[in-house]
Amino acid sequence: MTDLANRKWYTGMLTQEDWWAVWLGVGFFFLSLFNIVGIDLVGWMTYPTKWVLNVPEGGKGAIGHAFYALGKKYSVTAKGFYKGLGWWSVIWTYVGFTIATCLGAFFMKWNMKRFFVGWTIIYFLTIATWFVGHHAFIAANKINMHKYGLNFALNLGGGGSFILALIVGLIIGNFFKPFAQFLSEAAKPEWYIKTAIVTLGVKLGYLPIKLAGMSQKLGKQAAGITFDLFVAGAAATIVAYMIFWPGVYIISRKIFKLPRATAAVLGSGISICGVSAAVATGGAVKAKPVVSIMVSALVVVWAVIELIILPGVFTHIWPGTKDPLVAGAAMGMSVKTDGADAAAGELLDEFMRNKVEVESNGAIKWPEGLITSSAVMTKVWIDMFIGIWAFVLALIWCYKIECKPGEKVPASEVWHRFPKFVIGYFFCWFFLLAIYFGPGQGGAPEAMPFLKTVKAGAVPVEKGMRKLFFMLTFISLGIITDFKKLREAQFGKMVWVYFVALFFFIIPVAMVIAYLFHHGMMPPNIAEFVVK
Amino acid sequence: MAEVEEKKEQASGTGTLTGAALEAEDVLAGAEPWAPIETKLVVWSFVIAIIALVIGLFLVPTSVLH
């Protein structure tokens, strides 16, 4: 056990999931940058494409091409080599990420044998689910289904794979519990999603570069939108944060008559950022340890329920495709674990882009990732405030509520509660922005050959690695989610506090605040630049 | 309880989710009476929220005021 009193600023750099999300995300990001000097070290990352068993004449979707190495499309120096990989890219990806994750597991002192076997099973389950989820019947939409010889498709885009992964995970977690228990050493949704969020930083930084390839104006527009999301997300989060916590605290104390410390932990867990906030606040207010654990369990289960409900509600009821970034920002403030939030944001992204394309008959296409980014941005800001709020509560409890002579709260608590993966996210984003505005000359035509080499590295990371880690997150979330726990008597009152607070307070307030700060922001239309 | 304490400290600040977090016991009883400091805490939180909202709406270029 770590000696909390003797923690240094660098404590946990090799032993915490947060830091290992940074090492994985930033590590592969740096590998991708070797493309600038002509060495493609990441083109092997695999990616699925839509397929059908019987390809129509002149159509698309051969099963032999259902997985390909992204270097086949984007590599500048090794396109031929990566083209030959095809389905073998699945094995290359397995080897690459097995080495990386096992390294993390080793330093985090997990059971290596169980992790390796569990990871292997989860990886190939993920690939199988990804494959099935990309059958054209599930993934195609009205615009492109005819290319696969279909007259009807479910219209789910890449979101179908995510839903399928969650279902597979939930089946294992709820019906094959000994198997789920065995896999639990490698079913780490928070680690996978934090890694995916770091690579989302690559996505954000890469967006201007990608759109500059279509037109210089679009590139600058994308850079502007990402910065607007950054600023609006910060403001919305501070406001939401300071409304959520006291609101949930009052609901817990006045309506459900809960003890003070339990209400404080619930207030943080439901309103701020789930598990981390519950644990941090539990420590700050000196709640019984089991309170943090109970709230964490509730957060996990409710986050999965939100993940299932909210993307559809936001897409089809309100705000719909008229305000996609309002929906994303509201998602980030409503879903209380990083994993479920980013996953719900990704699902929302898929649903929204698909819907607008169908509604406009192909005249409007949005670049992928911006709606996910709006969901993650508010969440990331919330994560950053956990430490500050836990520190404030610790001060209040220490000096005002449970006054003990001589007791002090060190300021270093803020740093120790800071979500470190956020550093990786911003680092990748700003690094690529610096490349875009520096040697990339803001997308000027003469800099395009250089930006193409950056793109060759960035795409496998922001697309292949990010989506794979999202899939791993969905399946792992399902594996560790046990709905039976909600029925357990001990949870009774807390389940109702959570339900009332979430659906009658948090989500409505989040939607209003997201609207106030994001209304009217739209992703750029790239339809005229996309090859049909 | 010592085991639970250890789990909590190990998870502290990491946001780690594990199946082991799904254990429970009753801690819902024994609510203390509402204290004046709690009123101060929630009122000041709301006040800060309103101030932040007004400033934010004026300063953030994408807000509905612009």
Side-chain angles (χ1 to χ4, degrees):
Chain A
M1 193 195 316
T2 310
D3 183 352
L4 299 183
N6 294 325
R7 278 182 304 184
K8 302 278 188 276
W9 67 270
Y10 51 82
T11 299
M13 276 192 169
L14 284 178
T15 55
Q16 285 181 359
E17 274 183 13
D18 259 37
W19 278 113
W20 271 99
V22 176
W23 305 143
L24 254 59
V26 174
F28 280 102
F29 171 59
F30 274 127
L31 280 185
S32 80
L33 292 177
F34 274 88
N35 271 281
I36 295 173
V37 291
I39 304 168
D40 190 340
L41 297 175
V42 291
W44 43 266
M45 289 188 193
T46 196
Y47 199 71
T49 186
K50 291 188 268 297
W51 60 276
V52 279
L53 281 174
N54 300 310
V55 183
E57 211 176 299
K60 291 167 71 175
I63 205 164
H65 302 298
F67 276 96
Y68 66 98
L70 280 161
K72 170 188 163 185
K73 267 191 183 175
Y74 300 98
S75 184
V76 174
T77 54
K79 199 169 264 189
F81 172 74
Y82 288 127
K83 194 175 180 182
L85 283 187
W87 271 84
W88 283 104
S89 61
V90 170
I91 302 298
W92 276 66
T93 305
Y94 168 69
V95 174
F97 288 123
T98 300
I99 292 169
T101 53
C102 281
L103 203 62
F106 173 76
F107 280 105
M108 287 188 276
K109 297 187 173 61
W110 294 347
N111 181 324
M112 286 303 294
K113 195 176 163 189
R114 271 189 64 194
F115 178 83
F116 173 73
V117 177
W119 158 263
T120 301
I121 294 171
I122 289 174
Y123 174 83
F124 284 105
L125 264 177
T126 299
I127 292 292
T129 313
W130 217 3
F131 171 66
V132 174
H134 271 75
H135 187 284
F137 177 72
I138 297 173
N141 61 30
K142 288 176 192 167
I143 309 291
N144 55 32
M145 63 187 178
H146 64 275
K147 292 179 193 167
Y148 303 93
L150 299 175
N151 295 317
F152 177 77
L154 291 179
N155 214 19
L156 292 173
S161 298
F162 295 148
I163 295 170
L164 213 56
L166 186 63
I167 291 171
V168 169
L170 285 171
I171 290 172
I172 295 172
N174 287 273
F175 297 105
F176 301 92
K177 288 182 184 173
F179 185 46
Q181 180 60 32
F182 175 75
L183 293 179
S184 64
E185 191 69 9
K188 305 285 185 187
E190 290 287 311
W191 187 28
Y192 300 145
I193 202 64
K194 284 169 182 171
T195 306
I197 290 173
V198 174
T199 61
L200 190 67
V202 179
K203 170 96 202 169
L204 266 189
Y206 161 69
L207 261 180
I209 296 172
K210 175 185 176 179
L211 299 195
M214 299 171 180
S215 90
Q216 192 174 359
K217 188 180 161 197
L218 265 182
K220 289 194 169 155
Q221 201 181 339
I225 289 176
T226 54
F227 186 71
D228 285 345
L229 282 175
F230 177 76
V231 175
T237 301
I238 293 168
V239 176
Y241 204 77
M242 300 313 294
I243 293 175
F244 287 164
W245 194 90
V248 177
Y249 188 80
I250 290 171
I251 291 171
S252 307
R253 290 280 286 145
K254 293 280 189 187
I255 300 176
F256 289 91
K257 311 288 181 201
L258 291 180
R260 206 176 278 145
T262 305
V265 179
L266 259 176
S268 293
I270 303 175
S271 65
I272 302 173
C273 179
V275 179
S276 308
V279 174
T281 307
V285 304
K286 300 198 165 42
K288 287 179 188 170
V290 75
V291 175
S292 307
I293 294 171
M294 284 173 73
V295 174
S296 301
L298 275 178
V299 166
V300 176
V301 177
W302 276 107
V304 172
I305 294 171
E306 285 181 276
L307 163 63
I308 293 167
I309 296 172
L310 290 185
V313 171
F314 285 175
T315 305
H316 297 290
I317 298 176
W318 193 86
T321 49
K322 286 192 168 49
D323 251 332
L325 300 180
V326 168
M331 189 76 80
M333 289 186 270
S334 304
V335 183
K336 300 302 169 189
T337 72
D338 297 320
D341 167 57
E346 189 76 358
L347 207 51
L348 183 72
D349 197 293
E350 296 281 353
F351 286 172
M352 287 278 195
R353 286 187 296 108
N354 220 23
K355 190 177 178 215
V356 81
E357 188 182 345
V358 171
E359 282 174 345
S360 66
N361 207 19
I364 300 175
K365 274 177 188 272
W366 291 333
E368 68 170 274
L370 267 179
I371 299 169
T372 312
S373 299
S374 64
V376 170
M377 194 68 81
T378 43
K379 193 74 179 67
V380 158
W381 278 114
I382 286 179
D383 286 350
M384 285 195 276
F385 283 115
I386 292 169
I388 296 167
W389 191 242
F391 182 67
V392 170
L393 288 179
L395 288 178
I396 292 170
W397 250 255
C398 181
Y399 298 118
K400 297 285 180 188
I401 293 181
E402 291 176 358
C403 311
K404 286 177 189 164
E407 194 171 14
K408 284 188 177 172
V409 182
S412 61
E413 271 307 294
V414 176
W415 167 248
H416 289 302
R417 302 293 181 193
F418 187 86
K420 314 299 185 302
F421 68 94
V422 169
I423 297 169
Y425 168 81
F426 282 119
F427 176 82
C428 293
W429 177 19
F430 291 142
F431 199 98
L432 277 177
L433 268 189
I435 287 178
Y436 172 74
F437 284 112
Q441 299 171 42
E446 56 273 24
M448 286 319 291
F450 167 74
L451 286 177
K452 209 174 164 189
T453 63
V454 178
K455 176 182 175 178
V459 173
V461 176
E462 66 83 17
K463 190 170 183 169
M465 181 175 173
R466 183 173 66 92
K467 296 263 183 174
L468 173 67
F469 274 76
F470 269 115
M471 286 293 293
L472 290 165
T473 303
F474 273 100
I475 223 161
S476 303
L477 256 182
I479 289 171
I480 67 157
T481 301
D482 185 353
F483 284 114
K484 193 181 167 196
K485 296 293 174 189
L486 272 187
R487 294 202 298 271
E488 287 186 357
Q490 296 98 319
F491 277 92
K493 205 189 269 184
M494 275 204 192
V495 173
W496 283 106
V497 179
Y498 209 116
F499 174 78
V500 170
L502 192 64
F503 287 98
F504 296 99
F505 184 64
I506 299 283
I507 294 174
V509 171
M511 288 166 89
V512 171
I513 294 172
Y515 182 86
L516 290 175
F517 286 101
H518 297 80
H519 173 57
M521 289 177 75
M522 294 295 276
N525 181 10
I526 58 170
E528 64 177 295
F529 303 101
V530 177
V531 181
K532 292 188 179 170
Chain B
M1 187 62 88
E3 193 186 337
V4 175
E5 177 76 47
E6 189 171 341
K7 273 179 195 162
K8 179 201 154 208
E9 290 201 345
Q10 282 172 349
S12 174
T14 67
T16 302
L17 292 181
T18 65
L22 300 172
E23 299 297 333
E25 70 179 54
D26 188 11
V27 284
L28 308 177
E32 311 87 344
W34 185 268
I37 182 69
E38 291 176 275
T39 308
K40 268 190 189 173
L41 181 60
V42 296
V43 167
W44 274 106
S45 296
F46 284 132
V47 169
I48 293 169
I50 292 165
I51 294 170
L53 177 64
V54 173
I55 295 173
L57 287 176
F58 274 104
L59 291 185
V60 174
T62 56
S63 83
V64 287
L65 287 190
H66 293 274

